[in-house]
Every structure is written in structure tokens, then in C-alpha cells.
Amino acid sequence: MAVKTTINYRLPQVEQLLQYPSLQTYILALSRPVVTDIIRSQFALIRQSERFQVQGVEGVDVLAVVIKVCEVQKGKRQMRVLNATGIAVHTNLGRSPIATELWDSVREVNTGYSNLELELATGKRGGRNGLLPTLVNAWLGAEDCAIVNNNAASLYLILHALAAGKEVIVSRGEQIQIGGGFRIPDILALSGCKLVEVGTTNITTSDDYINALTDNTAMVLMVHQSNFSIQGFTESPDIQDVAKRLPEHVQLVVDQGSGLSSEQYANSETSLSRYLQMGADLVCFSGDKILGGPQAGIIAGRQDLTTILAKSPMMRAFRSGRIVLALLEELLIKKLNQEPSGDGVAQHTLRRCLHTRTLADRLTVKWSPYAETVSMEMQVGGGSIPSETYACFGLALSLPGKAQQHLDALRAMPTPIIAYLHADRLMLNLATLLDDDLPRFETQIEHYLQRFLSIG
């Protein structure tokens, strides 16, 4: 007589599974309610599966299923990664890292109460920008500044507050689109302005702007071609000439974007202070690109115009919080004092380029035969200085199996390493690895290579 087998359809209790030691790390990383929801959702999927209907719990590693989903969720958290891409200001990697010294220096003001909107001299309510207007004046020569949460907000606020219902003249070659579908014509329309196109894609002259002026013109807007460049048969207007020829009721605004000021590279780029010297009424730019600060939009220029911006109802929606303002203050003080922590990541990376050959050669010997020193290029990135690259060195790893698998494996490391592929080899650009990241980088790569080679 055949023995009837009883199928076990009982999954473990949720609370019982939550006590497993291997789930405690995920409870700390994700929270107990999130892990509980993951367990319940996976139990529901297991019960619906054909295998469970036939075999029950037998052969189902419930804990492994839950851990796999927890690991995916954990990967969505903000975490430190190692940048081996060769792009210094990497939009997907948080743009510019904030210097440790800078971050530590604002810890006290941001972990207690602060005088964010209090005039200590009078005890009365004050402005939010604190010392920033004074610092920006010393840095760029601007009369005043306004601080918002990013440069897209800067441009929208300027257009909405100064030109709503009026005409804004923009060169056809500067009607750009940046990441996330942000298009200059769209932002003009949303801010209530009428776009007036002048020039062509490759040539726009001073006369093009002046000939397009009407009594309803409020602004000439010039926009940096942040993520591409036009070369060859091109012509750009003399900004100083345009500024001199504009009537009093028309403002000249430059969306400079990158925040380039006194940095020792990109000689072909026009600096913020130079735009103001040539007659721009306002310039706007990002705080988290070349400047190396937190995400912010900075508007610098004429005080009468920044006063209008400050009184706009949209300013309350766009204004920055205390952490951003404190970081910008400290950053500009260190920049004006020419301290290393006042330099942005691009400046630091360019200095690091000079030493990448020595580092690459050392690691090539250490990780032979899988590593090779190769010449590479570093880009500033982040919508800044699109046409310039800088020579550096890195490593090409030729490992058994598919290169894509190794690229994926590096992203799954305790501190993910972000690399790229070229000619079916794994490429590691050493220029964009921060000095503090090098020990972790070496340790993780060595552990990974040990499965292929015994490294002494």
C-alpha cells in the first residue's frame, strides 16, 4: 500500500522570521515595518506560485527569498559609492562631493538652533541670507545675491518675477534641453513670458538682439550650452556690446550654469565675474557643480533686481534651508581664504590627474596579469565645460567571463564601485577616486580578484 505524503503548506510566522539574525541588518537599514511588509508580500507570492501548490514549503528557501528583496530595497538608499568613471561632477553620483572639513564645520550650527532669520544686533527678524551677500560681493563683485534650491529654480524665478507677460529674447543656439526634460522654451512659457527667437543655431550677433527689441521686451537671456558645444562656423555676440546698446527697461541675464569663477582651468569659458563686468544685470548658476557646495541656485547681480526676486511669492517655494545656507557661507569663506576645502571637486580632480600614472602603474604590477595601465581622459561633467577633457590614467581589467558581469559585481560591493566598459574590458578611471576612497577601492578590488588569482 502506498504511503500518503502530507504536504506542508505552512509558512513560518512573520514575527518568527523577523527574529532571524540575518534579517537584523536589513531592519536597521530599512526599518522593521518595511521588512515586515517585504516578508508578507513575498509570502503572498510564494502561496500563489505553482511550485508551492504542488510541493508546499518543501524546497522553498523562504529566508533567501526575503533577503534577496531586502537587498534590492537596501540598494535604493543613499550610500557612499566610489567614482571610477572619469566624470568629476557626476549627476547620477550626487554631483560634487562636499569636503569633509566643510561638512564638519557646519555641524554645530545645524544640530542646534541658529540665527537663520534673527538679527542678533537688534533682536528683530532678519533676512535669511546672513553673510552670503557680503561674501558673494567679495567673490564676484556683485551687489547682492538670492539663493534658491537649484539653478532651474533660479531661472524660473528670474523670468517669472522680472519678465512675466513680456518678451524675452533668446538665441536659437541657446534654446537647450538639460537633464530631466528641462527645456528653455518650456520654462519661458511656464513663467508667463513670450519667447522671441533670434539668430541661428550656429551664429547670433549683437545686432540680432538689438533688432528684436520692442517696447514689450523685458529681457535678453543668454544661456550656457551646458551639455554640448557647437564648433566650426560659429559666431557669438559681444556681450559687452549688447549690454551697452540695451535700453534701460531691458535686463541682460546670463544663465551661466556651471559656477566657474577663479578655477585654474577652462580658459575658453567665461567666468561669473567677467559676465558681471561686461554688463550682465544678473547671472545665475549652480552651487553643486564647479563651486563644490550643496545643491543650490545662486543669483548674483544688481540689488534692485534681487530685491524684486526676494519679494516674489515664488521665493518662498524656492528658497533654500538652513543647511544649504550654512554650507554655502562656510564654502565661500574658505574659497576666499584660498583654503583647499574651498575648491570644488573638479579642481581637486585636475590636481589628482597629475598623479594617476604612478598609481595606475603600482596597481598594474600588484594586480598582474589582469590589470593594464591605460591613458584616459577626465571630464568635469554635470553640464559644465562640455568641450574640454583632461589627460589622466586608469586601469583596464581583463577578467575571465563577460565584462558586463564584472561591472555589475562592482556595483554590488559593500561600497559600490562605479566603472564603465570599453572594448569589452572593465575600465577604472583613477582620477575621480577621492583620496579617502583609495584604501576601500584597493581592498575591494583585491578581494574580488582573489577568486581569479592569489594576490600576495
Side-chain angles (χ1 to χ4, degrees):
M1 179 181 292
V3 178
K4 186 176 181 180
T5 302
T6 301
I7 299 175
N8 179 15
Y9 289 106
R10 295 189 61 185
L11 291 165
Q13 294 182 348
V14 172
E15 188 60 35
Q16 179 185 2
L17 204 59
L18 284 167
Q19 303 306 317
Y20 274 63
S22 53
L23 282 183
Q24 301 315 301
T25 299
Y26 298 104
I27 290 174
L28 290 174
L30 302 174
S31 82
R32 186 182 180 91
V34 169
V35 175
T36 300
D37 287 345
I38 289 172
I39 293 172
R40 288 173 176 157
S41 65
Q42 293 309 302
F43 278 9
L45 291 174
I46 290 171
R47 290 189 185 101
Q48 295 168 13
S49 69
E50 183 178 343
R51 179 174 181 176
F52 183 79
Q53 301 296 330
V54 175
Q55 299 181 7
V57 178
E58 185 71 25
V60 179
D61 191 338
V62 177
L63 184 60
V65 170
V66 171
I67 287 176
K68 183 178 180 180
V69 179
C70 285
E71 192 65 32
V72 172
Q73 290 295 95
K74 183 182 174 185
K76 296 178 181 180
R77 279 197 62 166
Q78 298 282 323
M79 67 177 69
R80 183 74 169 252
V81 303
L82 309 185
N83 180 5
T85 67
I87 302 172
V89 183
H90 200 304
T91 301
N92 300 124
L93 305 184
R95 286 190 175 173
S96 293
I98 294 173
T100 302
E101 180 184 344
L102 180 64
W103 184 264
D104 291 342
S105 65
V106 300
R107 183 189 305 274
E108 183 176 3
V109 72
N110 283 306
T111 54
Y113 295 106
S114 74
N115 60 328
L116 178 65
E117 291 188 10
L118 177 69
E119 290 283 356
L120 293 177
T122 63
K124 297 181 180 180
R125 181 168 182 165
R128 294 172 63 87
N129 287 345
L131 191 63
L132 280 168
T134 301
L135 296 170
V136 170
N137 176 267
W139 175 37
L140 303 177
E143 292 179 1
D144 195 20
C145 67
I147 312 296
V148 292
N149 51 32
N150 59 33
N151 196 43
S154 295
L155 185 55
Y156 180 89
L157 180 64
I158 290 170
L159 292 167
H160 181 77
L162 302 179
K166 302 281 188 177
E167 296 173 353
V168 176
I169 303 173
V170 184
S171 167
R172 287 184 174 87
E174 296 176 359
Q175 295 178 40
I176 66 169
Q177 175 175 325
I178 60 175
F182 181 91
R183 292 183 172 185
I184 294 299
D186 293 344
I187 203 70
L188 262 77
L190 287 170
S191 59
C193 303
K194 180 183 178 182
L195 170 63
V196 177
E197 301 176 297
V198 297
T200 63
T201 302
N202 58 321
I203 293 180
T204 302
T205 66
S206 299
D207 286 342
D208 288 329
Y209 289 105
I210 302 306
N211 292 337
L213 293 171
T214 70
D215 292 339
N216 197 42
T217 303
M219 186 180 299
V220 167
L221 174 65
M222 297 183 178
V223 184
H224 186 273
Q225 296 166 345
S226 59
N227 52 9
F228 73 101
S229 62
I230 299 175
Q231 300 178 6
F233 182 51
T234 63
E235 183 178 342
S236 299
D238 183 327
I239 296 176
Q240 197 163 7
D241 180 52
V242 173
K244 288 179 179 179
R245 296 169 65 185
L246 287 179
E248 188 175 343
H249 72 278
V250 178
Q251 315 306 329
L252 175 58
V253 174
V254 178
D255 179 1
Q256 195 258 11
S258 69
L260 181 77
S261 59
S262 58
E263 287 74 20
Q264 302 301 308
Y265 56 90
N267 294 327
S268 62
E269 295 287 313
T270 303
S271 69
L272 296 165
S273 57
R274 182 61 185 145
Y275 277 123
L276 292 170
Q277 291 165 6
M278 289 190 293
D281 297 296
L282 293 174
V283 292
C284 63
F285 54 98
S286 296
D288 56 340
K289 290 185 179 181
I290 291 178
L291 184 58
Q295 177 177 299
I298 304 173
I299 306 166
R302 283 171 42 187
Q303 187 173 30
D304 60 327
L305 299 180
T306 58
T307 300
I308 296 173
L309 300 181
K311 293 179 179 179
S312 168
M314 294 305 301
M315 175 56 88
R316 190 169 185 86
F318 291 154
R319 69 185 187 182
S320 296
R322 57 185 288 180
I323 298 173
V324 168
L325 296 173
L327 282 167
L328 284 176
E329 270 190 349
E330 192 67 24
L331 172 61
L332 290 182
I333 290 170
K334 295 185 182 304
K335 189 174 187 67
L336 290 168
N337 285 338
Q338 299 182 358
E339 297 180 32
S341 57
D343 292 336
V345 67
Q347 189 76 64
H348 284 296
T349 303
L350 282 166
R351 295 193 194 106
R352 200 177 297 114
C353 283
L354 303 175
H355 309 291
T356 51
R357 178 63 186 263
T358 301
L359 176 60
D361 286 346
R362 178 174 68 80
L363 295 177
T364 293
V365 172
K366 190 176 186 180
W367 296 339
S368 175
Y370 297 115
E372 176 188 351
T373 297
V374 293
S375 60
M376 294 182 172
E377 292 180 337
M378 187 279 288
Q379 293 177 295
V380 172
S384 304
I385 317 175
S387 61
E388 298 197 33
T389 58
Y390 307 88
C392 62
F393 289 87
L395 300 175
L397 298 185
S398 299
L399 302 172
K402 294 183 178 180
Q404 182 66 50
Q405 293 177 334
H406 299 299
L407 184 71
D408 297 341
L410 264 58
R411 289 199 315 275
M413 287 181 170
T415 304
I417 298 175
I418 313 302
Y420 64 99
L421 301 181
H422 178 70
D424 203 34
R425 289 198 297 178
L426 188 62
M427 310 300 284
L428 301 166
N429 192 309
L430 302 178
T432 47
L433 285 171
L434 303 178
D435 294 338
D436 291 344
D437 288 338
L438 280 174
R440 269 185 284 192
F441 172 77
E442 289 194 45
T443 298
Q444 290 188 151
I445 295 293
E446 285 176 12
H447 287 167
Y448 188 68
L449 292 180
Q450 280 172 359
R451 70 183 66 182
F452 309 114
L453 179 73
S454 177
I455 300 177

